[in-house]
Amino acid sequence: MPDETQYIVISLKHTHRRHKAITLWRPNDSGYCWTLGRAGQYGEQAVLGHLGYYNSGCSNIAVPLELVKRLCCEVEYDMKEFGVCLPNNADTWKRLLAEVIRPTDYKGEPDYKGARYRKAA
């Protein structure tokens, strides 16, 4: 039996234009971080069992750990969290959104420097 694919859950809701790095979920649904070393890894079956929670497209998406590793780089963030992060830019978001675990109910609208501002409801 092959090893289960691991996923990183990314928060669209908690990633803002001013952030240099994309916000990641920590292990066991216990908060957020920016560095890959502190991020939680979620098994494919766990994510598929709760797609609306982990991969809604509105607030979160789940993407393969291997993709995240390829996209990560050193991002100078702050003294509390310095290290390997996902840069918060258009190219990174384009690649992440293209490889979510399953199509989402909502179209992800990430917030990064240069992104169009959303219209108020």
Side-chain angles (χ1 to χ4, degrees):
M1 177 181 212
D3 290 335
E4 184 178 36
T5 301
Q6 295 296 301
Y7 288 82
I8 297 292
V9 179
I10 295 174
S11 177
L12 286 94
K13 181 179 178 179
H14 293 284
T15 303
H16 303 284
R17 177 178 304 269
R18 69 182 179 276
H19 294 162
K20 294 179 184 177
I22 293 171
T23 305
L24 312 174
W25 281 28
R26 294 185 65 204
N28 304 312
D29 309 335
S30 62
Y32 307 96
C33 63
W34 289 295
T35 59
L36 183 56
R38 294 183 64 203
Q41 295 180 23
Y42 294 82
E44 183 173 18
Q45 294 308 310
V47 174
L48 290 175
H50 300 284
L51 276 175
Y53 182 62
Y54 293 117
N55 193 62
S56 68
C58 178
S59 58
N60 307 304
I61 57 171
V63 295
L65 171 62
E66 292 306 315
L67 171 65
V68 172
K69 286 180 178 179
R70 288 192 310 270
L71 297 176
C72 277
C73 62
E74 286 286 329
V75 174
E76 183 180 338
Y77 206 81
D78 63 26
M79 295 309 288
K80 294 177 200 159
E81 285 204 57
F82 176 81
V84 177
C85 305
L86 281 171
N88 187 21
N89 61 44
D91 184 55
T92 302
W93 278 110
K94 180 180 176 183
R95 295 178 70 189
L96 292 171
L97 291 169
E99 292 199 40
V100 294
I101 189 169
R102 293 286 188 276
T104 59
D105 291 337
Y106 301 95
K107 181 181 180 226
E109 294 185 20
D111 198 13
Y112 54 89
K113 189 175 183 175
R116 292 182 182 201
Y117 285 98
R118 296 182 202 129
K119 292 183 179 180

